[in-house]
């Protein structure tokens, strides 16, 4: 299935469900040159005026369907899982759930600060705030309840290293032999 679509967005695979791929891309609103992308000052301005856009690609028909856009002026992150797109934005410090088939969106929770979304584990989104200091919080996608976990690795007290998430099963490194060497 071709990933060459008309337009200026360079698409990346974000996830999948059913017979569809979930795609993510940065839309600068125009064609940009490699020179612009590799010039830090120019790229920063381009990026801050761009949008992160999300779409589905039906593998049977090859039909691309844009679903959601979020401004890159503010921090944002997203997780695609099970026909839903979960989006966190520093614009309003909210986490939204977007149905990838209908485009319907709802606010899961309004936060007191921006939370970066990592992945979905069962019915929980693993996330982290700027002041979380090596720990994660978990946002329930059904209730909007946010709980903080104090789990860290046993040796040095650093964050757990997530290696794989499959449904509600998680493989993490929670300890290793190490000598603190500040």
């Amino acid at each position: 299935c071709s990933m060459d679509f008309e337009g200026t967005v360079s698409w990346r695979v974000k996830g999948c469900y059913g017979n569809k791929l979930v795609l993510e891309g940065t839309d600068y609103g125009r064609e940009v040159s490699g020179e612009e992308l590799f010039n830090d000052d120019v790229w920063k301005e381009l990026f801050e005026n761009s949008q992160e856009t999300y779409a589905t690609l039906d593998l049977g028909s090859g039909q691309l369907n844009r679903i959601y856009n979020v401004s890159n002026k503010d921090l944002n992150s997203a997780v695609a899982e099970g026909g839903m797109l979960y989006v966190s934005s520093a614009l309003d410090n909210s986490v939204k759930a977007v149905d990838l088939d209908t485009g319907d969106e709802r606010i899961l929770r309004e936060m007191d600060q921006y939370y970066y979304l990592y992945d979905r584990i069962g019915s929980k989104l693993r996330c982290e705030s700027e002041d979380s200091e090596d720990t994660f919080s978990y946002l329930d996608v059904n209730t909007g309840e946010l709980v903080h976990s104090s789990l860290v690795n046993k040796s040095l007290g650093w964050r757990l290293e997530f290696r794989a998430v499959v449904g509600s099963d998680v493989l993490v490194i929670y300890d290793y032999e190490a000598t603190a060497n500040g």
Side-chain angles (χ1 to χ4, degrees):
C1 191
S2 175
M3 295 274 293
D4 291 328
F5 306 104
E6 290 185 26
T8 59
V9 178
S10 177
W11 296 101
R12 303 173 300 280
V13 175
K14 181 81 172 162
C16 63
Y17 71 102
N19 194 35
K20 295 180 181 177
L21 293 179
V22 180
L23 305 179
E24 173 184 20
T26 305
D27 187 351
Y28 295 101
R30 63 174 179 84
E31 195 73 40
V32 293
S33 69
E35 185 177 299
E36 289 175 300
L37 292 174
F38 290 107
N39 180 319
D40 289 342
D41 295 328
V42 173
W43 175 83
K44 183 177 185 220
E45 184 178 334
L46 279 171
F47 187 76
E48 286 179 348
N49 291 303
S50 71
Q51 292 187 332
E52 212 59 22
T53 187
Y54 299 90
T56 59
L57 174 62
D58 186 295
L59 294 175
S61 68
Q63 179 70 35
L64 180 73
N65 184 24
R66 287 192 187 209
I67 301 294
Y68 191 79
N69 296 308
V70 61
S71 171
N72 282 322
K73 187 140 188 89
D74 299 288
L75 293 172
N76 64 77
S77 58
V79 170
E81 181 72 32
M84 298 297 289
L85 179 70
Y86 303 97
V87 182
S88 179
S89 172
L91 175 66
D92 59 4
N93 293 331
S94 70
V95 177
K96 296 176 181 160
V98 180
D99 185 301
L100 289 168
D101 287 324
T102 66
D104 292 341
E105 65 179 82
R106 65 183 168 91
I107 294 177
L108 283 180
R109 184 177 177 108
E110 293 177 342
M111 309 286 215
D112 58 347
Q113 60 184 307
Y114 170 72
Y115 277 75
Y116 182 86
L117 304 180
Y118 285 96
D119 45 32
R120 181 174 162 179
I121 304 168
S123 64
K124 309 277 193 274
L125 292 171
R126 178 170 62 111
C127 53
E128 166 187 47
S129 67
E130 291 179 342
D131 61 358
S132 64
E133 296 188 27
D134 290 331
T135 58
F136 297 107
S137 294
Y138 297 87
L139 177 63
D140 190 298
V141 299
N142 298 315
T143 66
E145 178 185 16
L146 181 69
V147 293
H148 179 261
S149 172
S150 59
L151 288 176
V152 293
N153 77 37
K154 293 164 74 175
S155 296
L156 300 175
W158 294 351
R159 77 179 62 229
L160 296 176
E161 293 179 43
F162 282 67
R163 294 296 185 201
V165 175
V166 180
S168 60
D169 294 325
V170 180
L171 176 64
V172 298
I173 296 174
Y174 67 92
D175 200 16
Y176 42 81
E177 290 185 28
T179 303
N181 185 7

